[in-house]
Amino acid sequence: MWRGLLLKGTTCLLQVSAQSFLHQRHASSQCFRLLTHRSVHKLRETSCIPRLRSTDVFQSHNLIRNYKKDTKSTVEFPLSPITVTDIKQYLRSKDILFHDGYSCLHIPSIFIDAFTRKDSFSLFIDKTTGQFLCKDTLVEGSWEDLQDCLEVMQKDEQDSLSPHVLLGYPESLEEQEETEREQREVREIWSSSLPFTDLHDEEAQLVKAMFRITKISNATLKKFGVRLFKPTKSLVFPWFGGPDSSLKGIKLLSAQRTDGEKVTYHEATVPKCSSYFNLFGLALVSRMDSEVVVTGSELDTLAVSQGTGLPSVALPRGVSCLPPALLPYLEQFKRVTLWLGGDIRSWEASKLFSRKLGLRRCTLVRPGEFQPCPLEALSQGKNLSRIVKASIPAAHKSIVSFKQLREDVYGELVNTDQVAGVKWTRFPELNRILKGHRKGELTVFTGPTGSGKTTFISELALDLCMQGVNTLWGSFEINNVRLAKIMLTQFAMQRLEENLEQYDFWADRFEELPLYFMTFHGQQNIKAVLDTMQHAVYLYDINHVIIDNLQFMMGQENLSVDKFAVQDHIIGVFRKFATNSSCHVTLIIHPRKEEDDRELQTASIFGSAKASQEADNVLILQEKKLVTCPGRRSLQVTKNRFDGDVGIFPLDFIKSSLTFSTPIKGKHKLRKVAAKPENEEEVQGNEVTAKKDEEKKEKATKTAKASQAAKCPANRNDKAK
């Protein structure tokens, strides 16, 4: 579709061989009308699209490599943001009936003939992004694509269009081979896996005990199509989709017992995670169902279905993401109960997802001692129906009492580690001070010019991203290619230019991280950046945004305004965004010019008053330029609103991997070098002169006493005697 074409074109990184253009899809005359109507015009306006020549491709370093670009690496941001009011006005101007849904507008599908569709409103338009999806034909695209289709229909006086009217981006040979390989792998695993009804009773009980699902009956497993893949001892969860409900993919779940009775689950999807859009259990939902329970895992869905008898579906990536592409499939339900788990993280995700689904129809299961995750509740013999009925409405008033907050306060006291946030694995000393990375906070980070602020904060963000924190990078100072190279080097812990044969291995693993980049560079308008951030939070469930740096938000259009007032406004905007979006914002600010021998302080931050007041955390990368030992860099926490702890710890920079590490205690001690005053020579000269003057005074005093004694007769007589 043209959305993918525009996204892949505007990255400025696309390199496609001349052969790939030979594999074009067949198009109807309507397709070419759409091309000439608007899409081609947009492509001409896109200045970033590289103009390719066959000679450029074959002169590359590696002739075999086909560089592919995943859409998740850049934020999918429309050139002109659309509002729901604009969408409604346009539909009314075209005399198109629509229903105002919870998160989408419903209109009759234009991709099936008028006689077949009758009164079926099966085309869904996202109120936030304008993207559409036809559930009958699975045709999807952007708001501009839908406008193009409607304009062509009106011009040709047609009642419908072919589902193939929207051309997709032609896949390269490598992408086609990868898709075919994944589909073969799906079919092979599915055909070689066994239903639980075909297993011996002892073997089935052993597998259930390993996965802690002894309370789940074989009938429930058969109902959802769950199988066992013996070679890896994994449960297989199918993904049935499309009008024909065919097998689109699978999820493999393995279990590993740790200390005690705790079980750790590991999952893998085919196709890869970025292409896996499945609501497990959706195939069992009837069109007449008006209530559904949304869970964070397939095992929880099995427990809810067996314990309550209600329709239940599982999110494809747990509590980390609710892709907007799945929202149309949840539009039919008047009541959506979010029971994503039994911890604080699932509770925060429930509140965040309820905004997408519509607050007025969502209810949340509050985690607690008597309301664990559905699988644990079923194992403990709890009444799951009663727990679902006791769920609380997501909509809330502006004023609450302590009675309403009592359970939340108790939950934070019980789950202190989870409330503290996600822990860093590479910086244990930072965990000791800040306790963790928390949503909804604003962190201000500063350091001397050239001290490695971007390199350090990229590793700090990479550490969190590797633990599942969806991250959006806004690098306005260095381009995305260089930033991605730095982060890939930190991820691989080695210089890949010296080991090019390992590039594909590390790049494939790095590509699976929930990491996205803004395409801005240089000075930008704060409104455009904020719109992009809001769009990314909605589309990709971003939890962490890094802005490098604040000075690039203060554009040339504000020359006539006080720069400190502009900076205060920008910081206030980021503070409000972090709170309202429940997203952590890390803001890099350059410090004021200080002497090389002086350490930075909170007051050293440029325009520090507003920044230090609004920030929840203030981090300073200290650098002692007069010290050449490995411990010359250190990280200082000067503000911590969570619990007040502040402190400083040394850092070692490893140039080969571009990483910072905390040195072992006692290995390096911070050695402060006393600063010499500018007039040191003058002071030393004054001291020498004063000493000589004292010696002269003493000598003169002795001489005076001797002469006085010689003149006195009494003294001479005494000496004679």
Side-chain angles (χ1 to χ4, degrees):
M1 275 153 285
W2 292 116
R3 179 187 61 181
L5 177 58
L6 291 173
L7 286 174
K8 296 188 178 186
T10 54
T11 56
C12 299
L13 301 175
L14 184 62
Q15 298 184 26
V16 183
S17 63
Q19 299 177 358
S20 65
F21 289 97
L22 299 178
H23 299 276
Q24 297 285 349
R25 300 179 183 177
H26 296 288
S28 63
S29 60
Q30 296 168 343
C31 297
F32 293 103
R33 291 193 187 96
L34 290 176
L35 281 171
T36 56
H37 186 264
R38 183 177 298 177
S39 301
V40 168
H41 179 67
K42 291 180 183 177
L43 291 176
R44 289 174 180 173
E45 291 180 347
T46 308
S47 58
C48 295
I49 298 180
R51 297 184 178 181
L52 302 175
R53 297 175 299 175
S54 58
T55 55
D56 295 336
V57 177
F58 293 105
Q59 290 176 357
S60 61
H61 176 70
N62 191 341
L63 298 179
I64 302 176
R65 179 186 304 279
N66 287 324
Y67 290 89
K68 58 184 180 179
K69 186 64 181 173
D70 191 2
T71 55
K72 80 172 186 176
S73 60
T74 54
V75 173
E76 190 175 344
F77 180 65
L79 297 178
S80 56
I82 193 70
T83 64
V84 65
T85 304
D86 297 333
I87 298 174
K88 290 180 179 180
Q89 289 178 352
Y90 181 83
L91 294 177
R92 291 191 184 102
S93 67
K94 299 298 181 181
D95 295 328
I96 297 177
L97 298 177
F98 63 87
H99 289 166
D100 195 349
Y102 300 102
S103 56
C104 301
L105 296 177
H106 314 167
I107 68 172
S109 177
I110 62 175
F111 301 106
I112 55 179
D113 60 84
F115 178 77
T116 303
R117 63 172 175 253
K118 294 182 180 179
D119 296 330
S120 175
F121 288 72
S122 59
L123 194 147
F124 297 85
I125 306 173
D126 193 298
K127 292 182 179 180
T128 303
T129 63
Q131 295 178 356
F132 73 91
L133 169 67
C134 174
K135 290 175 63 176
D136 292 332
T137 60
L138 296 185
V139 176
E140 62 175 334
S142 66
W143 171 243
E144 288 79 8
D145 294 334
L146 183 60
Q147 286 179 302
D148 292 340
C149 293
L150 293 174
E151 295 292 342
V152 169
M153 286 179 57
Q154 185 178 17
K155 183 177 180 181
D156 294 347
E157 297 182 353
Q158 297 180 357
D159 295 329
S160 63
L161 295 176
S162 169
H164 305 289
V165 68
L166 291 177
L167 288 175
Y169 187 81
E171 292 183 338
S172 64
L173 293 177
E174 182 183 357
E175 291 174 332
Q176 292 178 3
E177 293 175 357
E178 183 179 359
T179 302
E180 294 176 359
R181 179 188 58 79
E182 289 178 339
Q183 289 302 317
R184 286 196 305 269
E185 187 176 356
V186 168
R187 292 191 296 267
E188 290 173 359
I189 294 177
W190 181 249
S191 61
S192 57
S193 58
L194 297 175
F196 272 76
T197 53
D198 294 349
L199 301 176
H200 295 292
D201 292 340
E202 295 181 357
E203 185 178 8
Q205 290 299 326
L206 185 62
V207 173
K208 289 183 178 181
M210 181 173 62
F211 283 90
R212 302 287 295 275
I213 57 173
T214 54
K215 296 288 186 178
I216 304 295
S217 64
N218 289 343
T220 302
L221 295 172
K222 181 180 179 180
K223 174 183 175 182
F224 283 87
V226 181
R227 295 185 178 185
L228 175 67
F229 187 59
K230 282 190 174 183
T232 58
K233 297 181 180 180
S234 303
L235 295 181
V236 182
F237 300 98
W239 170 20
F240 297 109
D244 55 350
S245 297
S246 59
L247 184 65
K248 298 292 186 181
I250 57 173
K251 177 180 285 190
L252 296 172
L253 185 70
S254 60
Q256 180 180 2
R257 286 190 177 272
T258 57
D259 297 338
E261 295 295 326
K262 189 176 181 181
V263 176
T264 303
Y265 297 102
H266 302 279
E267 61 183 36
T269 61
V270 184
K272 60 184 180 180
C273 184
S274 59
S275 303
Y276 191 82
F277 294 98
N278 175 32
L279 282 173
F280 176 73
L282 185 65
L284 301 176
V285 175
S286 170
R287 290 181 177 268
M288 304 302 295
D289 291 327
S290 60
E291 183 178 359
V292 69
V293 180
V294 179
T295 68
S297 71
E298 289 75 13
L299 297 181
D300 286 339
T301 292
L302 298 176
V304 169
S305 178
Q306 181 172 308
T308 65
L310 295 173
S312 180
V313 296
L315 298 178
R317 303 170 202 173
V319 300
S320 63
C321 181
L322 172 57
L326 299 177
L327 296 180
Y329 298 99
L330 298 173
E331 279 288 300
Q332 74 177 75
F333 304 106
K334 296 181 179 179
R335 175 186 169 97
V336 178
T337 302
L338 295 172
W339 192 356
L340 302 183
D343 55 11
I344 296 298
R345 185 183 179 191
S346 65
W347 174 244
E348 293 178 349
S350 299
K351 294 189 289 186
L352 186 62
F353 294 164
S354 63
R355 299 177 186 176
K356 287 186 179 182
L357 295 168
L359 293 174
R360 59 183 178 179
R361 64 163 174 166
C362 287
T363 60
L364 315 178
V365 176
R366 189 197 305 271
E369 181 180 357
F370 301 103
Q371 295 177 168
C373 69
L375 185 61
E376 292 183 6
L378 184 67
S379 301
Q380 297 173 9
K382 296 185 181 298
N383 191 327
L384 273 67
S385 298
R386 184 179 300 172
I387 295 177
V388 171
K389 290 180 180 179
S391 57
I392 62 175
H396 57 277
K397 296 181 180 180
S398 300
I399 301 177
V400 296
S401 63
F402 179 74
K403 182 178 181 180
Q404 296 171 282
L405 300 175
R406 180 169 179 165
E407 291 299 325
D408 288 339
V409 174
Y410 179 75
E412 292 202 2
L413 294 175
V414 173
N415 304 283
T416 53
D417 291 339
Q418 296 178 6
V419 173
V422 180
K423 304 295 188 296
W424 289 274
T425 58
R426 301 191 180 192
F427 303 98
E429 287 296 318
L430 193 59
N431 293 329
R432 180 181 59 83
I433 302 174
L434 285 181
K435 306 302 182 295
H437 172 89
R438 294 167 291 275
K439 294 181 181 180
E441 292 190 353
L442 174 65
T443 295
V444 170
F445 178 70
T446 190
T449 302
S451 60
K453 293 190 297 296
T454 301
T455 305
F456 174 77
I457 209 67
S458 67
E459 184 182 10
L460 199 73
L462 177 64
D463 189 343
L464 298 170
C465 189
M466 292 170 62
Q467 301 180 62
V469 177
N470 298 357
T471 304
L472 174 64
W473 251 100
S475 177
F476 307 95
E477 192 165 355
I478 64 175
N479 60 47
N480 289 332
V481 176
R482 187 179 303 174
L483 176 62
K485 178 184 175 183
I486 293 174
M487 300 187 73
L488 183 59
T489 303
Q490 295 172 335
F491 181 71
M493 302 290 286
Q494 60 177 315
R495 287 191 176 275
L496 293 176
E497 56 261 40
E498 301 173 359
N499 303 280
L500 289 178
E501 68 280 358
Q502 301 183 23
Y503 175 79
D504 285 331
F505 171 77
W506 289 108
D508 289 342
R509 294 181 58 187
F510 187 76
E511 188 178 351
E512 294 301 320
L513 296 178
L515 179 63
Y516 307 87
F517 301 93
M518 297 187 201
T519 55
F520 297 127
H521 188 67
Q523 290 186 344
Q524 297 296 331
N525 181 270
I526 180 61
K527 185 180 184 302
V529 176
L530 187 64
D531 289 341
T532 305
M533 292 165 57
Q534 292 173 342
H535 187 82
V537 167
Y538 178 83
L539 201 64
Y540 304 114
D541 295 298
I542 296 298
N543 305 132
H544 187 198
V545 178
I546 303 99
I547 300 297
D548 184 16
N549 54 64
L550 176 69
Q551 275 71 12
F552 282 93
M553 298 294 97
M554 303 165 65
Q556 295 294 329
E557 67 273 10
N558 294 314
L559 288 176
S560 60
V561 185
D562 183 9
K563 59 182 179 181
F564 294 108
V566 174
Q567 177 172 325
D568 290 351
H569 168 70
I570 295 174
I571 293 175
V573 168
F574 284 128
R575 167 75 269 177
K576 185 178 180 180
F577 170 83
T579 303
N580 295 342
S581 303
S582 187
C583 177
H584 192 113
V585 177
T586 298
L587 187 59
I588 301 177
I589 304 178
H590 284 311
R592 297 198 306 260
K593 296 298 181 181
E594 300 281 2
E595 299 294 336
D596 291 342
D597 58 341
R598 295 183 59 184
E599 290 187 348
L600 297 180
Q601 301 175 353
T602 304
S604 303
I605 301 174
F606 185 82
S608 59
K610 183 75 171 181
S612 58
Q613 289 173 4
E614 297 287 358
D616 297 285
N617 313 294
V618 176
L619 308 182
I620 302 177
L621 183 62
Q622 300 284 6
E623 182 183 28
K624 296 177 174 58
K625 295 186 178 180
L626 301 179
V627 177
T628 58
C629 66
R632 71 189 184 99
R633 288 188 180 92
S634 58
L635 184 68
Q636 184 177 7
V637 180
T638 60
K639 183 178 181 181
N640 175 11
R641 187 169 283 168
F642 180 70
D643 65 356
D645 286 352
V646 295
I648 186 172
F649 58 90
L651 296 171
D652 282 350
F653 179 66
I654 304 173
K655 191 173 182 180
S656 60
S657 60
L658 302 180
T659 58
F660 292 83
S661 63
T662 306
I664 302 174
K665 285 188 176 182
K667 183 177 179 181
H668 300 299
K669 294 183 178 179
L670 287 178
R671 179 168 58 89
K672 294 185 178 181
V673 178
K676 294 182 180 181
E678 297 178 355
N679 57 349
E680 179 180 6
E681 295 181 357
E682 181 180 353
V683 172
Q684 291 179 352
N686 293 338
E687 291 179 353
V688 173
T689 304
K691 190 173 182 180
K692 289 181 179 180
D693 292 341
E694 291 180 358
E695 291 177 354
K696 288 181 181 180
K697 287 181 180 180
E698 291 180 358
K699 188 174 181 180
T701 303
K702 291 181 180 179
T703 304
K705 289 182 179 180
S707 60
Q708 186 177 1
K711 293 179 182 179
C712 184
N715 291 340
R716 285 199 300 268
N717 294 335
D718 292 338
K719 288 181 179 179
K721 291 181 180 180

